[in-house]
């Protein structure tokens, strides 16, 4: 694990250099449907993230349905540390998070928006780590998902909240570790990187169709698409940039093109070589380049795209899949977003022809875990309440559900994985379950054999898979 020592409020604390997030936004491809003979345009985006957190911090996957609010009665809402203004409606989401947290490390919503965040540090870190509680980056992940229907809208939500409320506060349950944040945001059409500095400053970069991107716990944007309106003047006032560097022009676009966000905002460690990708970021960039080069002249199946992303997230040699050193890849997500359009498609219905399958581990170390699929129903339904399953699971484990503070089913599953991850027989069964789930979701022949209570667009498959995983880990839900 790479570490760097940065001044914090109380002492010099090693900042773990962890978490990796990836996106591939394909060019739309045209094919002929063998059954109808129609021209079909297919758009695909693949998102993946490993959440690297303290190795003993329990991670869980939870779902929240759509909800409407009466703003006369519910004018505000509580995030992890502070209240903020409520909105009239929040969208259905599925998120992966430390079990103590309100927000999320990563997740997706019913409209196919995916967001993941990572810790970064800049020369303005002291303005974030100043003892004042504000929004956490993980709050922003959940808020962007709950309040957006597109990646661009999620970006704008995150920017507005960051500018109004700021970021700051403890990002660990029993520690005052505080950090600035970077985000990777995507939908079926495009993606954005949003990176922050201090409490309120930010820069964003658009990832267009035909491009791919990864982030790995450091500033990565060189030439931003957008920045905080006061950022350039703030940098000038401190002598970090000069008018001569920006052609002394009133042309805002030219000024922005001359602004190197990473060079200016980097916290000052190392020389010019540290401006280029290295370590896990470089390894991830090479993985994406190789995969995109391999697929440039052909359209790979969703199953193959899943396997490609899973291979990256299971790379233990580079550290993308982190094991040991006090930090592990405690949670992982892969989302395959695909949209198919033909002459009969409804141009006014963004979700028409869209398939979004979100695969989550519910255990630490994706190299030994099974990804399980989740899809929202067309009306945003997130499936049955987990409480029924939790009660059965906890009864089997002879635990008392008490006041509801007992761990969720996926949190308990996470703990079971930690106990059994060295059992080779169980690990082989988990990998076989993943293969069967892939076939169930993406193989047309298998789809026709699905039980009537399940379909590839049903959130029930996720519950079914959790049940099967409990069974493999010797804790069946009967």
């Amino acid at each position: 694990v790479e570490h760097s020592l940065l001044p914090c409020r109380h002492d010099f604390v090693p900042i773990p250099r962890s978490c990796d997030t990836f996106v591939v936004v394909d060019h739309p491809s045209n094919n002929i449907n063998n059954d109808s003979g129609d021209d079909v345009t297919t758009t695909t985006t693949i998102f993946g993230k490993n959440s690297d957190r303290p190795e003993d911090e329990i991670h869980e996957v939870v779902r929240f349905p759509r909800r409407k609010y009466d703003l006369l009665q519910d004018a505000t809402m509580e995030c992890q540390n502070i209240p903020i203004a409520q909105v009239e409606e929040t969208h259905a989401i599925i998120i992966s998070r430390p079990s103590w947290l309100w927000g999320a490390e990563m997740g997706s919503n019913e409209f196919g928006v995916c967001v993941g965040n990572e810790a970064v540090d800049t020369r303005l870190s002291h303005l974030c780590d100043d003892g004042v509680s504000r929004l956490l980056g993980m709050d922003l992940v959940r808020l962007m998902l709950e309040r957006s229907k597109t990646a661009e809208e999620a970006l704008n939500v995150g920017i507005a909240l960051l500018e109004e409320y700021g970021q700051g506060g403890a990002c660990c349950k029993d520690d005052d570790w505080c950090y600035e944040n970077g985000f990777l945001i995507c939908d079926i059409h495009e993606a954005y990187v949003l990176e922050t500095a201090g409490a309120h400053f930010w820069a964003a970069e658009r990832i267009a169709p035909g491009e791919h991107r990864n982030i790995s716990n450091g500033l990565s944007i060189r030439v931003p698409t957008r920045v905080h309106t006061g950022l350039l003047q703030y940098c000038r006032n401190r002598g970090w940039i000069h008018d001569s560097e920006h052609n002394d022009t009133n042309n805002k676009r030219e000024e922005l093109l001359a602004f190197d966000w990473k060079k200016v905002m980097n916290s000052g460690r190392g020389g010019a070589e540290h401006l280029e990708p290295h370590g896990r970021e470089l390894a991830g960039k090479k993985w994406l380049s190789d995969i995109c080069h391999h697929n440039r002249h052909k359209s790979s199946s969703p199953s193959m795209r899943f396997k490609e992303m899973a291979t990256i997230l299971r790379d233990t040699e580079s550290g993308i899949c982190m094991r040991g050193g006090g930090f592990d890849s405690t949670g992982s997500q892969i989302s395959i977003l695909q949209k198919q359009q033909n002459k009969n498609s409804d141009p006014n219905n963004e979700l028409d022809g869209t398939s979004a399958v979100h695969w989550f581990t519910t255990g630490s170390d994706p190299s030994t875990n099974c990804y399980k699929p989740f899809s929202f129903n067309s009306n945003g339904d997130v499936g049955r309440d987990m409480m029924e399953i939790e009660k059965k699971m906890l009864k089997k484990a002879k635990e008392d559900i008490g006041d509801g503070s007992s761990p969720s089913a996926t949190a308990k599953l996470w703990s079971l994985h930690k106990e059994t991850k060295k059992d080779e027989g169980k690990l082989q069964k988990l990998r076989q379950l993943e293969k069967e789930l892939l076939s169930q979701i993406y193989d047309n022949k298998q789809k026709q054999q699905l039980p009537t209570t399940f379909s590839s667009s049903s959130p029930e498959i996720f519950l079914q898979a959790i049940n099967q995983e409990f069974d493999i880990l010797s804790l069946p839900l009967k």
Side-chain angles (χ1 to χ4, degrees), residues 74-369:
D74 301 309
T76 62
M77 56 162 291
E78 290 291 331
C79 296
Q80 186 67 34
N81 296 319
I82 65 169
I84 67 169
Q86 183 58 277
V87 292
E88 291 184 351
E89 182 177 23
T90 54
H91 307 312
I93 62 171
I94 181 168
I95 54 177
S96 184
R97 67 182 186 184
S99 60
W100 60 271
L101 190 70
W102 179 85
E105 279 278 300
M106 53 199 168
S108 305
N109 72 15
E110 59 181 294
F111 297 100
V113 177
C114 303
V115 184
N117 90 304
E118 307 194 4
V120 301
D121 58 86
T122 78
R123 66 196 306 169
L124 296 179
S125 61
H126 61 284
L127 299 179
C128 171
D129 188 11
D130 58 359
V132 177
S133 292
R134 305 182 186 91
L135 288 174
L136 301 183
M138 295 173 284
D139 290 333
L140 289 169
V141 171
R142 178 170 173 176
L143 291 166
M144 283 190 272
L145 292 171
E146 288 186 334
R147 301 181 178 196
S148 68
K149 294 184 178 181
T150 68
E152 185 176 20
E153 188 176 4
L155 172 70
N156 291 332
V157 167
I159 288 171
L161 291 169
L162 183 69
E163 291 187 351
E164 181 174 0
Y165 298 101
Q167 64 179 350
C171 299
C172 278
K173 184 178 181 181
D174 301 317
D175 200 326
D176 61 358
W177 176 36
C178 174
Y179 51 77
E180 300 150 294
N181 293 269
F183 304 87
L184 191 51
I185 307 161
C186 74
D187 61 20
I188 191 67
H189 300 293
E190 61 183 356
Y192 292 89
V193 175
L194 171 64
E195 294 178 349
T196 65
H200 300 280
F201 287 122
W202 56 270
E205 175 189 350
R206 180 175 182 258
I207 314 304
E211 298 179 345
H212 55 268
R213 193 68 151 75
N214 63 298
I215 56 176
S216 294
N217 281 107
L219 296 183
S220 63
I221 296 174
R222 302 302 300 271
V223 180
T225 310
R226 296 167 55 188
V227 297
H228 185 286
T229 55
L231 177 64
L232 296 183
Q233 190 59 51
Y234 184 91
C235 293
R236 281 195 201 93
N237 292 344
R238 282 150 185 79
W240 300 344
I241 61 174
H242 305 281
D243 286 337
S244 59
E245 296 178 21
H246 298 80
N247 303 320
D248 194 17
T249 177
N250 291 322
N251 187 315
K252 297 297 183 182
R253 182 56 186 160
E254 288 186 17
E255 185 180 42
L256 194 56
L257 286 172
F259 177 68
D260 188 330
W261 160 263
K262 183 175 182 178
K263 180 179 179 180
V264 174
M265 303 309 296
N266 189 31
S267 53
R269 296 182 308 278
E273 69 275 9
H274 288 280
L275 294 176
E276 298 302 321
H278 59 283
R280 294 186 344 272
E281 183 183 3
L282 179 59
K285 183 178 181 179
K286 288 180 177 178
W287 270 115
L288 290 182
S289 296
D290 289 347
I291 287 172
C292 292
H293 178 78
H294 175 74
N295 293 328
R296 71 190 188 284
H297 295 310
K298 61 181 181 179
S299 178
S300 296
S301 67
S303 178
M304 181 57 66
R305 306 309 293 273
F306 167 87
K307 292 175 183 177
E308 291 170 344
M309 185 59 73
T311 298
I312 297 175
L313 296 177
R314 286 169 168 156
D315 178 9
T316 57
E317 183 175 350
S318 71
I320 291 173
C321 178
M322 188 166 289
R323 299 191 294 186
F327 263 50
D328 285 350
S329 293
T330 54
S332 189
Q333 174 184 349
I334 298 173
S335 291
I336 310 295
L337 314 176
Q338 196 163 67
K339 183 179 181 66
Q340 293 187 327
Q341 294 176 294
N342 59 27
K343 63 182 181 181
N344 298 317
S345 298
D346 181 358
N348 298 316
N349 183 358
E350 180 60 28
L351 295 180
D352 186 28
T354 298
S355 167
V357 184
H358 312 287
W359 299 78
F360 292 90
T361 62
T362 45
S364 189
D365 188 355
S367 71
T368 62
N369 261 269

